[in-house]
Amino acid sequence: MDSCIRTLKKTLDRAVDLLALGMLSILVVVVAAQVFSRYVVGRPFTWSEELARYMLVWIVYLFASIAFRLSRHMGIDFFVLLLPEKQRGFIRTAGDLLVFGFLILVLRFGAELVGITLPQTSAALGIPMGLVYLAFPVSAGLMAIELFYRLYCRLTGGRP
């Protein structure tokens, strides 16, 4: 059971990494094509600026979830480190549970936002705006999965 969960988690992490890097690569190509078409050809693409903006939104939220997975978000643990090891674990678990609750709320209200904005379409691309706003709950969901995995490992004595 434990190895199955680890395998699923590794697969999800790899997929998110590849998606984020792929989107970043596409963004670079789109922006370069936009600059070329605007300043060299003199006829800018009408869709590239909007695509770049929406891809950047997705990239930011995907990389935020990656940073969360790698514990790269800023945190202040000065006072926690002053406590004995047993109390540190309790404080960290309590903090993780609070963050998990917050992420569930973000997921819920983000899904509502997607539902509200789904009928609206973007000006140049004509895509549903709900797809753009979907980055918010997807990122929160990825962070919640990571936090759930950490809590699972902490409670079962495994290493995340």
Side-chain angles (χ1 to χ4, degrees), residues 80-92:
V80 175
L81 293 175
L82 294 175
L83 298 171
E85 186 63 39
K86 195 173 190 180
Q87 290 175 337
R88 276 189 231 164
F90 174 77
I91 295 292
R92 285 194 177 114

Side-chain angles (χ1 to χ4, degrees), residues 37-145:
S37 70
R38 179 179 301 245
Y39 294 108
V40 175
V41 179
R43 296 188 60 175
F45 299 124
T46 57
W47 51 268
S48 61
E49 186 179 335
E50 192 171 274
L51 179 62
R53 184 180 324 124
Y54 297 151
M55 286 187 71
L56 185 61
V57 169
W58 268 92
I59 289 166
V60 165
Y61 281 106
L62 286 176
F63 275 103
S65 70
I66 292 169
F68 186 83
R69 175 180 8 117
L70 299 174
S71 298
R72 298 287 192 225
H73 286 282
M74 195 181 321
I76 301 172
D77 58 357
F78 177 77
F79 294 110
V80 175
L81 293 175
L82 294 175
L83 298 171
E85 186 63 39
K86 195 173 190 180
Q87 290 175 337
R88 276 189 231 164
F90 174 77
I91 295 292
R92 285 194 177 114
T93 301
D96 285 349
L97 288 172
L98 284 171
V99 171
F100 186 77
F102 174 75
L103 289 171
I104 296 302
L105 286 174
V106 168
L107 206 104
R108 179 180 176 260
F109 291 115
E112 276 185 35
L113 180 64
V114 169
I116 291 168
T117 58
L118 207 52
Q120 302 169 8
T121 57
S122 67
L125 295 171
I127 61 170
M129 288 304 294
L131 295 178
V132 176
Y133 289 102
L134 184 63
F136 190 54
V138 165
S139 177
L142 291 170
M143 290 181 202
I145 290 169

